[in-house]
mmCIF file of all heavy atoms in Angstrom:
data_model
loop_
_atom_site.group_PDB
_atom_site.id
_atom_site.type_symbol
_atom_site.label_atom_id
_atom_site.label_comp_id
_atom_site.label_asym_id
_atom_site.label_seq_id
_atom_site.Cartn_x
_atom_site.Cartn_y
_atom_site.Cartn_z
ATOM 1 N N ALA A 270 -12.981 21.907 -33.465
ATOM 2 C CA ALA A 270 -12.112 21.029 -32.662
ATOM 3 C C ALA A 270 -11.009 20.465 -33.555
ATOM 4 O O ALA A 270 -11.058 20.582 -34.782
ATOM 5 C CB ALA A 270 -12.939 19.895 -32.061
ATOM 6 N N SER A 271 -10.000 19.853 -32.936
ATOM 7 C CA SER A 271 -8.910 19.321 -33.744
ATOM 8 C C SER A 271 -8.349 18.019 -33.187
ATOM 9 O O SER A 271 -8.410 17.766 -31.990
ATOM 10 C CB SER A 271 -7.774 20.355 -33.856
ATOM 11 O OG SER A 271 -7.289 20.682 -32.577
ATOM 12 N N VAL A 272 -7.803 17.214 -34.102
ATOM 13 C CA VAL A 272 -7.081 15.995 -33.739
ATOM 14 C C VAL A 272 -5.646 16.200 -34.199
ATOM 15 O O VAL A 272 -5.404 16.580 -35.346
ATOM 16 C CB VAL A 272 -7.685 14.757 -34.437
ATOM 17 C CG1 VAL A 272 -6.810 13.525 -34.237
ATOM 18 C CG2 VAL A 272 -9.090 14.487 -33.912
ATOM 19 N N ARG A 273 -4.701 15.989 -33.295
ATOM 20 C CA ARG A 273 -3.301 16.259 -33.604
ATOM 21 C C ARG A 273 -2.440 15.047 -33.262
ATOM 22 O O ARG A 273 -2.612 14.449 -32.208
ATOM 23 C CB ARG A 273 -2.812 17.454 -32.772
ATOM 24 C CG ARG A 273 -3.697 18.664 -32.951
ATOM 25 C CD ARG A 273 -3.467 19.712 -31.887
ATOM 26 N NE ARG A 273 -4.404 20.827 -32.087
ATOM 27 C CZ ARG A 273 -4.301 21.997 -31.489
ATOM 28 N NH1 ARG A 273 -3.312 22.230 -30.646
ATOM 29 N NH2 ARG A 273 -5.177 22.952 -31.717
ATOM 30 N N GLY A 274 -1.530 14.702 -34.130
ATOM 31 C CA GLY A 274 -0.633 13.577 -33.867
ATOM 32 C C GLY A 274 0.612 14.045 -33.143
ATOM 33 O O GLY A 274 1.106 15.149 -33.388
ATOM 34 N N PHE A 275 1.122 13.200 -32.249
ATOM 35 C CA PHE A 275 2.369 13.539 -31.557
ATOM 36 C C PHE A 275 3.383 12.426 -31.727
ATOM 37 O O PHE A 275 3.067 11.249 -31.535
ATOM 38 C CB PHE A 275 2.126 13.756 -30.057
ATOM 39 C CG PHE A 275 3.417 13.877 -29.279
ATOM 40 C CD1 PHE A 275 4.167 15.044 -29.341
ATOM 41 C CD2 PHE A 275 3.914 12.817 -28.538
ATOM 42 C CE1 PHE A 275 5.381 15.145 -28.673
ATOM 43 C CE2 PHE A 275 5.126 12.906 -27.859
ATOM 44 C CZ PHE A 275 5.854 14.082 -27.933
ATOM 45 N N LEU A 276 4.607 12.798 -32.073
ATOM 46 C CA LEU A 276 5.712 11.846 -32.152
ATOM 47 C C LEU A 276 6.962 12.584 -31.689
ATOM 48 O O LEU A 276 7.326 13.613 -32.261
ATOM 49 C CB LEU A 276 5.873 11.361 -33.602
ATOM 50 C CG LEU A 276 6.694 10.104 -33.807
ATOM 51 C CD1 LEU A 276 6.021 8.885 -33.167
ATOM 52 C CD2 LEU A 276 6.903 9.852 -35.288
ATOM 53 N N MET A 277 7.586 12.077 -30.640
ATOM 54 C CA MET A 277 8.696 12.781 -29.995
ATOM 55 C C MET A 277 9.816 13.228 -30.944
ATOM 56 O O MET A 277 10.299 14.345 -30.814
ATOM 57 C CB MET A 277 9.266 11.883 -28.874
ATOM 58 C CG MET A 277 10.129 12.611 -27.863
ATOM 59 S SD MET A 277 9.219 13.779 -26.829
ATOM 60 C CE MET A 277 10.059 15.294 -27.247
ATOM 61 N N PRO A 278 10.248 12.388 -31.911
ATOM 62 C CA PRO A 278 11.352 12.833 -32.782
ATOM 63 C C PRO A 278 11.072 14.144 -33.529
ATOM 64 O O PRO A 278 12.000 14.836 -33.942
ATOM 65 C CB PRO A 278 11.519 11.668 -33.773
ATOM 66 C CG PRO A 278 11.023 10.487 -33.022
ATOM 67 C CD PRO A 278 9.884 10.984 -32.174
ATOM 68 N N HIS A 279 9.794 14.489 -33.712
ATOM 69 C CA HIS A 279 9.462 15.746 -34.409
ATOM 70 C C HIS A 279 9.451 16.953 -33.459
ATOM 71 O O HIS A 279 9.180 18.068 -33.877
ATOM 72 C CB HIS A 279 8.106 15.624 -35.103
ATOM 73 C CG HIS A 279 8.066 14.538 -36.142
ATOM 74 N ND1 HIS A 279 9.085 14.336 -37.049
ATOM 75 C CD2 HIS A 279 7.141 13.587 -36.422
ATOM 76 C CE1 HIS A 279 8.785 13.309 -37.823
ATOM 77 N NE2 HIS A 279 7.613 12.834 -37.465
ATOM 78 N N TYR A 280 9.711 16.709 -32.181
ATOM 79 C CA TYR A 280 9.698 17.793 -31.181
ATOM 80 C C TYR A 280 10.974 17.788 -30.341
ATOM 81 O O TYR A 280 10.960 18.159 -29.178
ATOM 82 C CB TYR A 280 8.457 17.654 -30.272
ATOM 83 C CG TYR A 280 7.184 18.076 -30.960
ATOM 84 C CD1 TYR A 280 6.481 17.173 -31.761
ATOM 85 C CD2 TYR A 280 6.705 19.381 -30.857
ATOM 86 C CE1 TYR A 280 5.323 17.559 -32.432
ATOM 87 C CE2 TYR A 280 5.549 19.765 -31.507
ATOM 88 C CZ TYR A 280 4.871 18.858 -32.296
ATOM 89 O OH TYR A 280 3.730 19.257 -32.951
ATOM 90 N N LYS A 281 12.080 17.395 -30.970
ATOM 91 C CA LYS A 281 13.354 17.221 -30.252
ATOM 92 C C LYS A 281 13.819 18.457 -29.499
ATOM 93 O O LYS A 281 14.450 18.356 -28.452
ATOM 94 C CB LYS A 281 14.453 16.836 -31.250
ATOM 95 C CG LYS A 281 14.452 15.381 -31.655
ATOM 96 C CD LYS A 281 15.789 15.036 -32.350
ATOM 97 C CE LYS A 281 15.813 13.616 -32.836
ATOM 98 N NZ LYS A 281 15.783 13.501 -34.292
ATOM 99 N N GLU A 282 13.535 19.641 -30.075
ATOM 100 C CA GLU A 282 14.073 20.872 -29.469
ATOM 101 C C GLU A 282 13.526 21.147 -28.072
ATOM 102 O O GLU A 282 14.095 21.926 -27.311
ATOM 103 C CB GLU A 282 13.811 22.086 -30.385
ATOM 104 C CG GLU A 282 12.354 22.486 -30.547
ATOM 105 C CD GLU A 282 11.624 21.797 -31.693
ATOM 106 O OE1 GLU A 282 11.964 20.634 -32.023
ATOM 107 O OE2 GLU A 282 10.701 22.416 -32.257
ATOM 108 N N TYR A 283 12.407 20.485 -27.718
ATOM 109 C CA TYR A 283 11.800 20.716 -26.393
ATOM 110 C C TYR A 283 12.318 19.752 -25.323
ATOM 111 O O TYR A 283 11.976 19.886 -24.152
ATOM 112 C CB TYR A 283 10.269 20.582 -26.483
ATOM 113 C CG TYR A 283 9.643 21.609 -27.389
ATOM 114 C CD1 TYR A 283 9.239 21.265 -28.683
ATOM 115 C CD2 TYR A 283 9.458 22.923 -26.965
ATOM 116 C CE1 TYR A 283 8.680 22.212 -29.531
ATOM 117 C CE2 TYR A 283 8.901 23.875 -27.804
ATOM 118 C CZ TYR A 283 8.513 23.511 -29.089
ATOM 119 O OH TYR A 283 7.961 24.461 -29.912
ATOM 120 N N ILE A 284 13.135 18.771 -25.741
ATOM 121 C CA ILE A 284 13.533 17.719 -24.801
ATOM 122 C C ILE A 284 14.351 18.228 -23.606
ATOM 123 O O ILE A 284 14.012 17.917 -22.470
ATOM 124 C CB ILE A 284 14.264 16.563 -25.533
ATOM 125 C CG1 ILE A 284 13.281 15.828 -26.457
ATOM 126 C CG2 ILE A 284 14.879 15.581 -24.539
ATOM 127 C CD1 ILE A 284 13.912 14.745 -27.332
ATOM 128 N N PRO A 285 15.436 19.016 -23.826
ATOM 129 C CA PRO A 285 16.276 19.373 -22.662
ATOM 130 C C PRO A 285 15.513 20.092 -21.551
ATOM 131 O O PRO A 285 15.645 19.735 -20.378
ATOM 132 C CB PRO A 285 17.357 20.281 -23.278
ATOM 133 C CG PRO A 285 17.411 19.885 -24.715
ATOM 134 C CD PRO A 285 16.005 19.518 -25.086
ATOM 135 N N GLU A 286 14.694 21.065 -21.920
ATOM 136 C CA GLU A 286 13.953 21.821 -20.900
ATOM 137 C C GLU A 286 12.926 20.931 -20.196
ATOM 138 O O GLU A 286 12.788 20.970 -18.976
ATOM 139 C CB GLU A 286 13.261 23.030 -21.558
ATOM 140 C CG GLU A 286 12.652 24.013 -20.574
ATOM 141 C CD GLU A 286 11.251 23.631 -20.091
ATOM 142 O OE1 GLU A 286 10.534 22.915 -20.825
ATOM 143 O OE2 GLU A 286 10.892 24.039 -18.968
ATOM 144 N N ALA A 287 12.227 20.094 -20.963
ATOM 145 C CA ALA A 287 11.215 19.196 -20.388
ATOM 146 C C ALA A 287 11.868 18.200 -19.429
ATOM 147 O O ALA A 287 11.358 17.939 -18.340
ATOM 148 C CB ALA A 287 10.485 18.448 -21.497
ATOM 149 N N ARG A 288 13.017 17.683 -19.829
ATOM 150 C CA ARG A 288 13.745 16.713 -19.013
ATOM 151 C C ARG A 288 14.163 17.339 -17.672
ATOM 152 O O ARG A 288 13.949 16.762 -16.609
ATOM 153 C CB ARG A 288 14.987 16.281 -19.799
ATOM 154 C CG ARG A 288 15.826 15.219 -19.161
ATOM 155 C CD ARG A 288 17.029 14.950 -20.042
ATOM 156 N NE ARG A 288 17.901 16.112 -20.139
ATOM 157 C CZ ARG A 288 18.582 16.459 -21.238
ATOM 158 N NH1 ARG A 288 18.464 15.753 -22.343
ATOM 159 N NH2 ARG A 288 19.373 17.512 -21.234
ATOM 160 N N ASP A 289 14.748 18.536 -17.726
ATOM 161 C CA ASP A 289 15.202 19.208 -16.499
ATOM 162 C C ASP A 289 14.030 19.508 -15.575
ATOM 163 O O ASP A 289 14.121 19.335 -14.355
ATOM 164 C CB ASP A 289 15.940 20.509 -16.837
ATOM 165 C CG ASP A 289 17.248 20.245 -17.581
ATOM 166 O OD1 ASP A 289 17.685 19.067 -17.599
ATOM 167 O OD2 ASP A 289 17.826 21.192 -18.148
ATOM 168 N N ARG A 290 12.913 19.939 -16.162
ATOM 169 C CA ARG A 290 11.742 20.284 -15.346
ATOM 170 C C ARG A 290 11.158 19.040 -14.674
ATOM 171 O O ARG A 290 10.784 19.070 -13.504
ATOM 172 C CB ARG A 290 10.688 20.965 -16.232
ATOM 173 C CG ARG A 290 9.562 21.625 -15.465
ATOM 174 C CD ARG A 290 9.002 22.860 -16.141
ATOM 175 N NE ARG A 290 8.878 22.758 -17.572
ATOM 176 C CZ ARG A 290 7.706 22.655 -18.217
ATOM 177 N NH1 ARG A 290 6.567 22.598 -17.542
ATOM 178 N NH2 ARG A 290 7.659 22.622 -19.522
ATOM 179 N N LEU A 291 11.084 17.928 -15.421
ATOM 180 C CA LEU A 291 10.548 16.692 -14.853
ATOM 181 C C LEU A 291 11.423 16.150 -13.732
ATOM 182 O O LEU A 291 10.918 15.733 -12.689
ATOM 183 C CB LEU A 291 10.416 15.626 -15.946
ATOM 184 C CG LEU A 291 9.199 15.744 -16.852
ATOM 185 C CD1 LEU A 291 9.344 14.808 -18.025
ATOM 186 C CD2 LEU A 291 7.917 15.449 -16.103
ATOM 187 N N LEU A 292 12.737 16.146 -13.939
ATOM 188 C CA LEU A 292 13.646 15.673 -12.896
ATOM 189 C C LEU A 292 13.494 16.522 -11.642
ATOM 190 O O LEU A 292 13.470 16.007 -10.523
ATOM 191 C CB LEU A 292 15.095 15.703 -13.390
ATOM 192 C CG LEU A 292 15.505 14.545 -14.306
ATOM 193 C CD1 LEU A 292 16.859 14.798 -14.943
ATOM 194 C CD2 LEU A 292 15.515 13.213 -13.570
ATOM 195 N N ASN A 293 13.352 17.834 -11.840
ATOM 196 C CA ASN A 293 13.166 18.742 -10.709
ATOM 197 C C ASN A 293 11.858 18.442 -9.963
ATOM 198 O O ASN A 293 11.829 18.377 -8.731
ATOM 199 C CB ASN A 293 13.201 20.192 -11.204
ATOM 200 C CG ASN A 293 13.139 21.169 -10.045
ATOM 201 O OD1 ASN A 293 13.811 20.985 -9.029
ATOM 202 N ND2 ASN A 293 12.322 22.183 -10.168
ATOM 203 N N LEU A 294 10.783 18.219 -10.706
ATOM 204 C CA LEU A 294 9.493 17.878 -10.086
ATOM 205 C C LEU A 294 9.599 16.577 -9.303
ATOM 206 O O LEU A 294 9.044 16.434 -8.219
ATOM 207 C CB LEU A 294 8.404 17.732 -11.160
ATOM 208 C CG LEU A 294 7.839 19.008 -11.789
ATOM 209 C CD1 LEU A 294 6.975 18.675 -12.998
ATOM 210 C CD2 LEU A 294 7.031 19.808 -10.768
ATOM 211 N N PHE A 295 10.338 15.619 -9.863
ATOM 212 C CA PHE A 295 10.495 14.322 -9.200
ATOM 213 C C PHE A 295 11.356 14.440 -7.942
ATOM 214 O O PHE A 295 10.993 13.960 -6.875
ATOM 215 C CB PHE A 295 11.103 13.307 -10.178
ATOM 216 C CG PHE A 295 11.427 11.983 -9.543
ATOM 217 C CD1 PHE A 295 10.409 11.164 -9.055
ATOM 218 C CD2 PHE A 295 12.740 11.546 -9.416
ATOM 219 C CE1 PHE A 295 10.693 9.942 -8.457
ATOM 220 C CE2 PHE A 295 13.041 10.326 -8.825
ATOM 221 C CZ PHE A 295 12.019 9.526 -8.340
ATOM 222 N N TYR A 296 12.504 15.121 -8.071
ATOM 223 C CA TYR A 296 13.417 15.244 -6.926
ATOM 224 C C TYR A 296 12.819 16.092 -5.797
ATOM 225 O O TYR A 296 13.235 15.976 -4.655
ATOM 226 C CB TYR A 296 14.764 15.827 -7.365
ATOM 227 C CG TYR A 296 15.622 14.868 -8.187
ATOM 228 C CD1 TYR A 296 16.361 15.320 -9.283
ATOM 229 C CD2 TYR A 296 15.698 13.505 -7.878
ATOM 230 C CE1 TYR A 296 17.155 14.453 -10.039
ATOM 231 C CE2 TYR A 296 16.480 12.631 -8.633
ATOM 232 C CZ TYR A 296 17.201 13.113 -9.709
ATOM 233 O OH TYR A 296 17.981 12.244 -10.447
ATOM 234 N N THR A 297 11.848 16.950 -6.114
ATOM 235 C CA THR A 297 11.202 17.768 -5.068
ATOM 236 C C THR A 297 9.854 17.166 -4.638
ATOM 237 O O THR A 297 9.029 17.841 -4.023
ATOM 238 C CB THR A 297 10.996 19.223 -5.547
ATOM 239 O OG1 THR A 297 10.247 19.209 -6.774
ATOM 240 C CG2 THR A 297 12.318 19.936 -5.776
ATOM 241 N N ASP A 298 9.617 15.897 -5.006
ATOM 242 C CA ASP A 298 8.426 15.144 -4.578
ATOM 243 C C ASP A 298 7.092 15.712 -5.073
ATOM 244 O O ASP A 298 6.054 15.471 -4.461
ATOM 245 C CB ASP A 298 8.374 15.029 -3.037
ATOM 246 C CG ASP A 298 9.463 14.122 -2.505
ATOM 247 O OD1 ASP A 298 9.828 13.180 -3.237
ATOM 248 O OD2 ASP A 298 9.958 14.356 -1.389
ATOM 249 N N LYS A 299 7.114 16.442 -6.176
ATOM 250 C CA LYS A 299 5.858 16.968 -6.736
ATOM 251 C C LYS A 299 5.276 16.003 -7.769
ATOM 252 O O LYS A 299 4.145 16.139 -8.194
ATOM 253 C CB LYS A 299 6.093 18.342 -7.371
ATOM 254 C CG LYS A 299 6.475 19.417 -6.351
ATOM 255 C CD LYS A 299 6.520 20.793 -7.010
ATOM 256 C CE LYS A 299 6.897 21.874 -6.015
ATOM 257 N NZ LYS A 299 8.345 21.894 -5.732
ATOM 258 N N LEU A 300 6.086 15.030 -8.174
ATOM 259 C CA LEU A 300 5.671 14.074 -9.207
ATOM 260 C C LEU A 300 6.011 12.673 -8.720
ATOM 261 O O LEU A 300 7.138 12.412 -8.306
ATOM 262 C CB LEU A 300 6.424 14.382 -10.505
ATOM 263 C CG LEU A 300 5.985 13.674 -11.779
ATOM 264 C CD1 LEU A 300 4.632 14.201 -12.251
ATOM 265 C CD2 LEU A 300 7.018 13.902 -12.882
ATOM 266 N N LYS A 301 5.017 11.776 -8.766
ATOM 267 C CA LYS A 301 5.259 10.384 -8.376
ATOM 268 C C LYS A 301 5.482 9.558 -9.649
ATOM 269 O O LYS A 301 4.844 9.816 -10.666
ATOM 270 C CB LYS A 301 4.047 9.815 -7.623
ATOM 271 C CG LYS A 301 3.754 10.488 -6.286
ATOM 272 C CD LYS A 301 2.601 9.754 -5.575
ATOM 273 C CE LYS A 301 2.264 10.396 -4.244
ATOM 274 N NZ LYS A 301 1.408 11.594 -4.402
ATOM 275 N N VAL A 302 6.351 8.588 -9.539
ATOM 276 C CA VAL A 302 6.586 7.705 -10.685
ATOM 277 C C VAL A 302 6.171 6.290 -10.298
ATOM 278 O O VAL A 302 6.618 5.758 -9.285
ATOM 279 C CB VAL A 302 8.067 7.729 -11.127
ATOM 280 C CG1 VAL A 302 8.302 6.723 -12.243
ATOM 281 C CG2 VAL A 302 8.453 9.128 -11.601
#
Side-chain angles (χ1 to χ4, degrees):
S271 59
V272 171
R273 306 165 183 193
F275 170 75
L276 197 65
M277 197 68 240
H279 299 316
Y280 285 85
K281 280 195 183 111
E282 67 271 31
Y283 297 102
I284 293 175
E286 189 276 334
R288 184 182 64 215
D289 294 347
R290 192 148 40 109
L291 280 169
L292 281 169
N293 185 44
L294 284 169
F295 174 66
Y296 288 140
T297 56
D298 291 329
K299 294 187 180 78
L300 190 71
K301 295 185 180 81
V302 175

